[in-house]
Amino acid sequence: MKKIVVKFGGSNLRRPEDIDRVADVVQTYNRPLVLVVSAFYGITNALIDCVQAARKGAGTISALEESQDYTLALRALKKEILEANIKDPAQRARTEAALNARLDQLTRYLTGIHYIGDVPDFVNDAILSYGERLSSLLLADVLQSRGINAREALPEDIGLVSDGVFGNAACDFDASTGPVSTALSGDGVVVVPGFYGVSRDGKPTLFGRGGSDYSAASIARCIGAESLDVWKDVDGFLSADPGAVSAPHSIARLHYLEAAELSYFGAKILHPRTVEPLFDQGIPIRILNITRPDLGLHPFTVIDGERTVTHDVVKSVSSSDDVAILKLHGPGVGFKPGILAEVTSTLDHNGINIKSVLTAQTAINVLLARDHLEAAYEALAGHHIPGVVEVSRNDAVAIVAVVGDGVLDASNVGSAIASRALSAALAGGVRVTLAAAGASEVAAYMLVDRSDRKLALQAIHDHFFGAGA
């Protein structure tokens, strides 16, 4: 029997009693599983803040005390979780000792920053992996306390090998598939911390922020899983963000490409890279809601390779304000050869990822994550590129996308989907900066004034899903 890989994210792990709810879900499956877990909600952000504070105050007593205070707070939190979930005093003591040993390792890493006055990449990735390492140890022991045959397995133990890139690694499937498949075989439940793999020389390398989804997908590929089940606290993918529009509906089925684009353009259900390992393997992703125990193992959204074009094409409207525009001006920048290559090469050299590029005769618009904008501006403004007379930047924008199979081939439903979305936004009073279609066969997007993001979502959602649609 093929195993199911089951992913529990930070949204499932907010309070001590949430571990008990996760254990209930595991018992519902009543079959061998591989569980991939994230850190408890907020822990990774706190570890990032802790590293930054340690780097900034390296060598000072106050910064060292701040690091020590944080690890003490973590010990208190984990003890609270243990007391809420493991009743047997002897087992609770054993688990607490194991957790404290792991927290001692974290403390040594943080203390080391103060001695060397810097945070090497491998140290940063090791420290940030501890949120997941603590979750996996806790969950495995809680499951054991409930009579479930469960064990923990760390990425370094199962051979989940990465390409060695710190901070944003990818799984090396040639190196990982055999060892991971062997290590995770057999009966019982295996709990694996997400978010990181290990380089060929054994150093932890993170799979990027939110990378536990990618961890789970990579493991699912390695073992040829029956499915990847991702548990959330919402009813799967929706037609829009419920915090921005009224009455969005669940989407029962999505193609891999649609799910990837929705995630890329801001939907919080999956990490954008989750479908990458599964696409050519045909392993489905099922999205389930942990707050609906009455529905058992019923998925709200199934993501697979089946293509379905709905009546009005668009399945969802997604948005994100994690975007900025870097614009290069010049009378011939869109025509002069070599300019775009030099721009992309310069940004790549500075570790800056490009989201998209839109060109015209007199301007090249480069879309970036907002926190990369200043570094990109400094890199290009200080780097003379023939033909570029000015470099400007704008971070007061948001991106809004319509996603659905058939977006680029919509003659059967009237005017082009992208034009209808743009017209709906403009009719709603949205200030549109840029619009684009064609980069993806299942998505079209526009950039709007950031303050108009919700207005754009509601106007476009009403057009495609409202009573009059």
Side-chain angles (χ1 to χ4, degrees):
M1 177 192 298
K2 290 184 176 181
K3 288 189 176 183
I4 296 175
V5 175
V6 183
K7 160 66 176 22
F8 294 104
S11 63
N12 304 142
L13 300 169
R14 293 173 182 266
R15 305 161 300 171
E17 55 267 33
D18 287 344
I19 282 267
D20 192 59
R21 187 163 62 176
V22 168
D24 287 340
V25 168
V26 173
Q27 287 182 308
T28 301
Y29 279 94
N30 192 32
R31 60 180 289 176
L33 302 170
V34 177
L35 309 184
V36 177
V37 292
S38 297
F40 261 70
Y41 186 80
I43 295 294
T44 301
N45 285 338
L47 284 170
I48 290 171
D49 292 343
C50 198
V51 169
Q52 290 174 343
R55 177 190 283 117
K56 184 177 180 181
T60 65
I61 293 176
S62 60
L64 180 58
E65 289 176 343
E66 186 176 342
S67 295
Q68 292 170 341
D69 287 345
Y70 180 67
T71 54
L72 285 172
L74 269 181
R75 290 178 199 274
L77 172 62
K78 300 308 176 184
K79 186 172 184 177
E80 181 184 357
I81 295 169
L82 283 177
E83 291 175 347
N85 290 282
I86 298 180
K87 304 306 179 187
D88 179 67
Q91 184 178 3
R92 192 164 64 236
R94 288 193 299 271
T95 304
E96 185 173 3
L99 284 169
N100 283 335
R102 207 158 279 186
L103 283 164
D104 287 343
Q105 296 168 351
L106 173 61
T107 300
R108 285 194 291 273
Y109 273 118
L110 290 169
T111 303
I113 295 173
H114 295 278
Y115 283 112
I116 65 176
D118 194 13
V119 187
D121 290 338
F122 79 92
V123 172
N124 180 77
D125 282 21
I127 289 172
L128 298 190
S129 72
Y130 271 86
E132 278 71 18
R133 294 174 193 252
L134 296 171
S135 291
S136 58
L137 195 160
L138 264 170
L139 180 57
D141 281 16
V142 169
L143 294 176
Q144 290 171 12
S145 75
R146 293 181 61 152
I148 298 171
N149 177 18
R151 62 184 173 92
E152 183 194 30
L154 301 176
E156 53 265 43
D157 297 330
I158 64 175
L160 186 64
V161 179
S162 77
D163 59 6
V165 176
F166 293 109
N168 193 31
C171 184
D172 182 338
F173 292 107
D174 289 338
S176 299
T177 298
V180 170
S181 181
T182 299
L184 299 181
S185 62
D187 295 332
V189 174
V190 186
V191 186
V192 182
F195 193 30
Y196 79 99
V198 291
S199 64
R200 286 181 179 268
D201 59 358
K203 291 185 172 63
T205 53
L206 302 183
F207 290 131
R209 285 307 307 269
S212 290
D213 284 349
Y214 178 79
S215 295
S218 297
I219 290 170
R221 175 184 174 129
C222 287
I223 69 171
E226 179 180 317
S227 66
L228 167 59
D229 288 6
V230 180
W231 286 84
K232 308 296 290 187
D233 56 0
V234 294
D235 292 346
F237 276 90
L238 303 175
S239 56
D241 177 2
V245 307
S246 55
H249 65 262
S250 293
I251 307 169
R253 195 165 215 99
L254 287 170
H255 186 269
Y256 292 120
L257 295 179
E258 294 171 317
E261 294 290 11
L262 284 171
S263 301
Y264 182 78
F265 287 114
K268 304 300 184 185
I269 303 300
L270 288 178
H271 188 279
R273 294 175 64 196
T274 307
V275 305
E276 185 183 314
L278 308 177
F279 184 86
D280 61 353
Q281 303 297 308
I283 298 172
I285 305 169
R286 309 193 316 158
I287 312 297
L288 304 98
N289 189 345
I290 202 168
T291 68
R292 303 286 298 275
D294 54 305
L295 297 178
L297 301 179
H298 168 73
F300 281 89
T301 304
V302 175
I303 301 160
D304 58 21
E306 182 179 332
R307 308 197 73 151
T308 56
V309 179
T310 57
H311 170 70
D312 215 11
V313 177
V314 173
K315 292 191 175 84
S316 184
V317 187
S318 189
S319 73
S320 172
D321 57 10
D322 182 24
V323 66
I325 307 172
L326 187 70
K327 181 174 286 191
L328 290 84
H329 307 262
V333 293
F335 178 78
K336 186 176 176 64
I339 288 182
L340 187 56
E342 191 163 354
V343 168
T344 56
S345 176
T346 300
L347 295 180
D348 181 64
H349 179 72
N350 286 271
I352 297 165
N353 184 52
I354 296 173
K355 287 180 176 286
S356 186
V357 178
L358 295 97
T359 62
Q361 173 67 13
T362 61
I364 296 175
N365 298 275
V366 182
L367 306 190
L368 310 159
R370 284 177 61 195
D371 60 359
H372 286 170
L373 180 61
E374 288 306 313
Y377 176 78
E378 290 177 8
L380 292 179
H383 181 76
H384 177 67
I385 301 175
V388 175
V389 299
E390 182 188 358
V391 179
S392 64
R393 58 201 188 278
N394 178 10
D395 66 354
V397 293
I399 197 165
V400 179
V402 289
V403 176
D405 204 353
V407 159
L408 294 188
D409 184 22
S411 59
N412 60 326
V413 291
S415 59
I417 296 298
S419 297
R420 290 172 58 192
L422 179 60
S423 296
L426 293 172
V430 175
R431 291 162 288 182
V432 179
T433 302
L434 288 171
S440 166
E441 59 188 290
V442 300
Y445 68 88
M446 66 187 77
L447 273 85
V448 305
D449 189 282
R450 193 192 311 157
S451 61
D452 289 344
R453 183 176 70 89
K454 289 187 177 181
L455 179 64
L457 276 171
Q458 188 68 67
I460 297 170
H461 190 267
D462 285 349
H463 176 77
F464 287 104
F465 301 104

